[in-house]
């Protein structure tokens, strides 16, 4: 006997292995049998006919049932609770007060969690509650942990939290989600749905894909909130020196009375500009635009400020600090050419095509020694403006190139001292070969010779100062590493490229390398005065500036004949572009560099800074000793108008490792501007570099502190959830999907077809049918 009371679920099973088609065939056969019986008994009295047909149909039906092997499936089961995810916002805005007694948004969340724990106990075997927090990402939590939870997350990615909930419960039974938040979403839904707008279709589809109700409990409303905030500052990642730049400021005013509010922009602590906005109670969003011109290259710290008014929810969002790197604008190049040539043409075209170069070219087509058969006023050629170029305007250029140019016919010998001063004060100078360059241009014993990285022969005999034979420059060890001649990072491949380049056609003859010069490429056969290979490409640092010498006027062949031989003009372009970058002292090519990974870091965050030191030939300066000085200006002092660099912070001595580097391992707890200046003594002189880092708390979460109850309400509507504004919350209003899964504790299958009683019933019915047929004469 079975104790049917021990089972709570009963189902009818068919154990026969019959396909649907076979069952359909049996039904058709049964109908055919009954139809034939009706035809056969057509002359029998009506009640007799239908009695016999009914008995035959009943017997056939019971026989088919036996073939299908019916059984009863009895199970003792219990429900497996589905999951209810309780997701709590722990971003910084949850720490804001919502009323005068000091209650915060998080306090309201804690009160709601207490009610949810009671709901969890009442849920019994239907639901299991899982608790999570979210900020930058979703994290598991325990109900007890919320008592000590501090809302410190710098983001409130509500959308990301729901996406991670969906991923966490993939393949599991999710009964619902309880979302406790102020509605501020730094994720995609919050960005797509602006305040006052309806939710977009994509966001709706995502919420519907959760396939579970999302109940939203708003931690705060807008009532009573008062705040003036700089919600966003828009600016370029960098600015060009002496070029106008705009900074757009977006402000949000909540609960403010009508007043005029000054918005101030400071640069390195000094007031740069001030704009006034008129705040009205019925308007919350305002925009201000600042336009200014950076005056110097380097990093500058800017601060946007608005006044702090009594009764504001917080003051951290009344300021916004940012670092703006100011870089060089277009490079101004003065190219002076003695006579047109292929070399001049290729270099001029390269410079003209470079969008970062502003080129001024002068070509000498006639001199005072040329015959003049018409009056000067009728000449179409302009006179060479020596005074303007080499006196008045010289300081406006970054690089001066003398290409096959002899200065004497233009009576500009006294201007050569200006070029010497220009270089030693930070400018750049390059001389390119030709029959009017170097000694052929009569530069021996002039201030230009003192600048050049090569020594000039004293002889003026053409056979001793010019050579017309073709040759391939040979790289020196320094040339393997120097950025000018490094056409490939791999040294072996770099030398192969140089060997594949077309040979140069002729060269000016020089006496050798000048003092403190670095030779990058040498002549394969010609020797200098001291027997060493003659320099073909050489560079040097002179004072604050740099100089370069290329003794041949046929580098154009690398960009023309190399293409004809199946190569590319890339090597020619790389050579001259790298030369220009080195000459103008591109920060990437300095011999000492102080690099920081970030311009702004949070207090106590690690400073990722590295000092790299190189020798003049750009090999790592191993064991180079230097000093790093740190100056600090507190952030509130900068905002109050004190110029940065007001206080010495620390001095650190260091020595570089085998790679010529030294890492600064330091953390700064006090917010402010930290300026770094590194100084290294080397055979190239005193090398310096500087940098700065702004240490400031991340208050991006405070830029928008207005609760978004409407967003939470829409989320609940789309998912068939419930929305409530805390503390008015009734846990009984939260309904969840019933569990979909059960656990079977005991199971019994009773086979009905394997029963003697059923066979007896069939035999009895057959006997009754046979007996009636016999009585009614239908044997």
């Amino acid at each position: 006997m079975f104790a049917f009371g021990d089972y709570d679920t009963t189902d009818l099973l068919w154990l026969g292995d019959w396909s649907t088609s076979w069952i359909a065939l049996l039904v058709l056969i049964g109908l055919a049998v009954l139809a034939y019986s009706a035809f056969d008994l057509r002359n029998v009295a009506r009640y007799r006919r239908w009695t016999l047909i009914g008995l035959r149909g009943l017997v056939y039906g019971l026989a088919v049932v036996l073939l299908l092997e019916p059984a009863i499936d009895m199970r003792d089961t219990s429900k497996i609770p589905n999951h209810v995810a309780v997701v709590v916002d722990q971003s910084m805005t949850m720490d804001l007060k919502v009323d005068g007694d000091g209650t915060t948004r998080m306090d309201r969340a804690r009160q709601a969690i207490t009610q949810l724990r009671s709901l969890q106990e009442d849920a019994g075997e239907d639901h299991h509650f899982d608790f999570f927090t979210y900020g930058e990402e979703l994290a598991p939590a325990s109900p007890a942990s919320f008592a000590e939870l501090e809302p410190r997350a710098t983001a409130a990615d509500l959308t990301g939290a729901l996406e991670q909930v969906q991923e966490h419960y993939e393949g599991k039974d999710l009964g619902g989600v309880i979302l406790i938040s102020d509605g501020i979403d730094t994720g995609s839904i919050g960005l797509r749905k602006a305040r006052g707008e309806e939710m977009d279709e994509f966001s709706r589809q995502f919420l519907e894909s959760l396939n579970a109700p999302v109940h939203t409990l708003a931690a705060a409303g807008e009532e009573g909130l008062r705040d003036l905030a700089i919600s966003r500052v828009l600016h370029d990642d960098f600015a060009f020196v002496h070029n106008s730049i705009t900074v757009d400021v977006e402000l949000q005013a909540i609960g403010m009375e009508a007043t005029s509010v000054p918005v101030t922009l400071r640069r390195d602590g000094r007031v740069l500009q001030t704009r006034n906005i008129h705040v009205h109670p019925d308007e919350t969003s305002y925009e201000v635009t600042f336009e200014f011109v950076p005056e110097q290259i380097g990093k500058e710290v800017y601060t946007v400020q608005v006044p702090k008014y009594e009764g504001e929810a917080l003051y951290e969002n009344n300021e916004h600090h940012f670092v703006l790197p100011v870089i060089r604008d277009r490079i101004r190049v003065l190219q002076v050419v003695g006579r047109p040539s292929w070399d001049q043409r290729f270099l001029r075209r390269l410079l003209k095509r470079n969008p970062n170069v502003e080129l001024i070219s002068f070509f000498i087509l006639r001199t005072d020694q040329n015959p003049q058969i018409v009056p000067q006023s009728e000449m179409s050629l302009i006179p060479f403006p020596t005074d303007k170029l080499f006196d008045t305007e010289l300081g406006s250029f970054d690089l001066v190139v003398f290409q096959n140019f002899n200065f004497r016919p233009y009576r500009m010998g006294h201007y050569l001292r200006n070029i010497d001063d220009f270089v030693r004060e930070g400018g750049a100078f390059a001389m390119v070969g030709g029959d009017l360059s170097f000694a052929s241009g009569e530069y021996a014993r002039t201030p230009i010779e003192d600048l050049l990285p090569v020594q000039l022969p004293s002889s003026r005999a053409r056979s001793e100062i010019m050579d017309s034979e073709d040759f391939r420059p040979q790289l020196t060890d320094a040339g393997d590493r120097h950025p000018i001649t490094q056409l490939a990072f791999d040294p072996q491949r770099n030398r192969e490229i140089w060997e594949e380049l077309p040979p140069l056609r002729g060269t000016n003859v020089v006496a050798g390398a000048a003092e403190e010069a670095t030779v990058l490429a040498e002549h394969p056969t010609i020797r200098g005065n001291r027997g060493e290979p003659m320099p073909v490409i050489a560079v040097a640092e002179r004072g604050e500036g740099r100089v370069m010498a290329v003794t041949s006027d046929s580098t154009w062949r690398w960009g023309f004949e190399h293409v004809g031989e199946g190569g590319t003009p890339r090597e020619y372009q790389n050579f001259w572009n790298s030369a220009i970058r080195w000459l103008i002292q591109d920060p990437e090519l300095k011999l000492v560099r102080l690099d920081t990974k970030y311009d702004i870091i949070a207090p106590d965050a690690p400073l990722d800074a590295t000092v790299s030191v190189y020798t003049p030939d750009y090999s790592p300066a191993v064991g180079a000793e230097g000093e790093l000085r740190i100056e600090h200006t507190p952030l509130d002092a900068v905002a109050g108008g004190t110029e940065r660099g007001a206080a010495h912070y620390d001095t650190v001595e260091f020595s570089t490792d085998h790679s010529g580097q030294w890492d600064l391992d330091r953390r700064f707890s006090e917010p402010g501007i930290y300026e770094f200046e590194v100084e290294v003594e080397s055979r190239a002189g005193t090398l310096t570099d500087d940098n700065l880092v702004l240490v400031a708390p991340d208050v991006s979460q405070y830029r928008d502190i207005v609760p978004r109850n409407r967003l939470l309400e829409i989320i609940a509507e789309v998912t068939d959830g419930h929305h409530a504004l805390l503390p008015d919350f009734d846990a009984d209003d939260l309904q969840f999907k019933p569990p979909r899964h059960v656990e079977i504790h005991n199971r019994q299958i009773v086979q009905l077809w394997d029963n003697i009683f059923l066979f007896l019933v069939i035999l009895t019915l057959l006997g009754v049918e046979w007996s009636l047929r016999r009585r009614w004469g239908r044997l």
Side-chain angles (χ1 to χ4, degrees), residues 164-376:
Q164 292 176 65
V165 165
Q166 185 181 48
E167 181 180 349
H168 182 80
Y169 291 106
E170 185 176 0
K172 300 178 183 179
D173 188 7
L174 179 62
V177 178
I178 302 175
L179 176 62
I180 306 176
S181 170
D182 57 13
I184 298 174
D185 181 16
T186 59
S188 57
I189 292 180
L191 295 176
R192 285 195 296 264
K193 183 196 176 305
R195 295 179 186 272
E197 296 180 357
E198 292 300 317
M199 182 170 288
D200 63 285
E201 187 61 28
F202 183 82
S203 299
R204 286 180 173 271
Q205 291 177 1
F206 162 68
L207 292 172
E208 291 170 354
S209 70
L210 293 174
N211 197 28
V214 179
H215 305 294
T216 56
L217 306 181
E222 296 184 21
E223 296 76 13
L225 181 64
R226 175 181 168 87
D227 187 60
L228 176 62
I230 299 172
S231 56
R232 190 159 61 154
V233 176
L234 303 175
H235 58 84
D236 293 333
D237 293 334
F238 57 87
F240 293 107
V241 66
H242 303 310
N243 281 259
S244 176
I245 184 174
T246 58
V247 175
D248 296 316
V249 181
E250 297 178 4
L251 302 103
Q252 189 176 62
I254 304 295
M256 300 289 294
E257 63 277 1
T259 185
S260 179
V261 176
V263 184
T264 303
L265 175 67
R266 294 177 180 271
R267 177 168 59 196
D268 294 339
R270 299 181 297 276
V271 175
L272 188 62
Q273 292 178 12
T274 299
R275 300 280 188 270
N276 287 294
I277 60 172
H278 296 283
V279 174
H280 301 280
D282 56 349
E283 187 175 354
T284 59
S285 298
Y286 303 87
E287 293 184 359
V288 171
T289 297
F290 294 99
E291 185 174 357
F292 58 94
V293 177
E295 300 294 340
Q296 59 185 11
I297 297 173
K299 291 181 180 179
E300 296 180 330
V301 178
Y302 291 84
T303 303
V304 181
Q305 292 176 304
V306 292
K308 299 176 181 179
Y309 293 93
E310 184 178 357
E312 288 192 65
L314 74 164
Y315 294 127
E316 285 85 346
N317 56 14
N318 291 60
E319 295 177 352
H320 181 93
H321 307 277
F322 63 94
V323 177
L324 183 66
V326 181
I327 63 176
R328 183 192 302 272
D329 189 13
R330 301 179 68 187
I331 305 165
R332 297 201 75 210
V333 178
L334 172 62
Q335 181 189 27
V336 182
V337 181
R339 69 166 62 97
S341 67
W342 282 106
D343 205 42
Q344 159 271 315
R345 179 178 180 181
F346 270 73
L347 182 56
R348 182 176 185 273
R349 184 170 61 178
L350 174 76
L351 296 174
K352 291 288 285 186
R353 289 182 175 179
N354 190 333
N356 296 320
V357 172
E358 179 185 354
L359 177 64
I360 306 297
S361 294
F362 276 92
F363 302 87
I364 310 303
L365 299 180
R366 63 178 299 277
T367 68
D368 292 341
Q369 284 73 40
N370 294 119
Q372 182 172 330
I373 60 177
V374 296
Q376 183 72 27

Side-chain angles (χ1 to χ4, degrees), residues 35-50:
Y36 176 77
S37 296
F39 177 79
D40 184 52
L41 299 172
R42 64 186 180 278
N43 296 322
V44 179
R46 183 176 181 181
Y47 81 92
R48 292 181 178 181
R49 181 170 69 247
W50 287 110

Side-chain angles (χ1 to χ4, degrees), residues 480-667:
D480 281 331
R481 296 181 293 268
H482 202 281
I484 292 179
T485 47
Q486 191 179 55
L487 303 181
F489 288 112
D490 179 60
Q492 180 61 34
R493 178 55 186 155
N494 189 49
R495 286 187 175 268
E496 291 175 357
I497 292 175
W498 278 89
E499 291 172 359
E500 294 168 359
L501 291 176
L504 299 180
R505 184 169 298 166
T507 179
N508 292 80
V509 176
V510 297
E515 186 178 354
E516 298 183 351
T518 300
V519 179
L520 307 182
E522 302 169 329
H523 198 285
T525 59
I526 301 178
R527 300 289 168 174
N529 289 349
R530 294 187 295 271
E532 75 282 1
M534 187 196 80
V536 175
I537 304 172
V539 294
E541 300 203 19
R542 297 292 186 245
E544 299 295 325
R546 291 178 173 178
V547 294
M548 174 180 175
V550 179
T551 62
S552 176
D553 65 347
S554 55
T555 58
W556 63 272
R557 300 183 70 186
W558 298 343
F560 181 73
E561 293 184 15
H562 196 214
V563 176
E565 296 172 357
T568 70
R570 187 181 304 113
E571 289 76 17
Y572 174 82
Q573 296 166 358
N574 288 347
F575 171 79
W576 278 109
N577 285 331
S578 297
I580 294 170
R581 289 182 60 200
W582 183 85
L583 284 166
I584 67 168
Q585 303 186 51
D586 187 317
E588 294 294 323
L589 302 181
K590 295 182 69 173
L591 295 181
V592 60
R593 292 205 313 267
L594 173 57
D595 298 314
T596 58
K597 187 174 183 179
Y598 304 104
D599 293 333
I600 304 177
I601 61 174
D604 294 317
L607 174 67
D608 192 349
T610 301
V611 176
S612 303
V613 186
Y614 303 91
T615 61
D617 63 3
Y618 281 85
S619 61
V622 179
E625 296 183 351
E627 183 178 85
L628 178 71
R629 291 184 292 275
I630 307 174
E631 293 183 339
H632 171 244
T633 301
L635 202 58
D636 56 354
V638 173
T642 301
E643 295 185 11
R644 63 187 176 128
H648 177 73
Y649 183 82
D650 196 8
T651 300
V652 182
E653 295 182 351
F654 65 88
S655 178
T656 57
D657 58 16
H658 65 282
S659 62
Q661 295 183 334
W662 174 73
D663 295 325
L664 176 60
D665 183 15
R666 184 67 68 92
R667 295 172 186 263

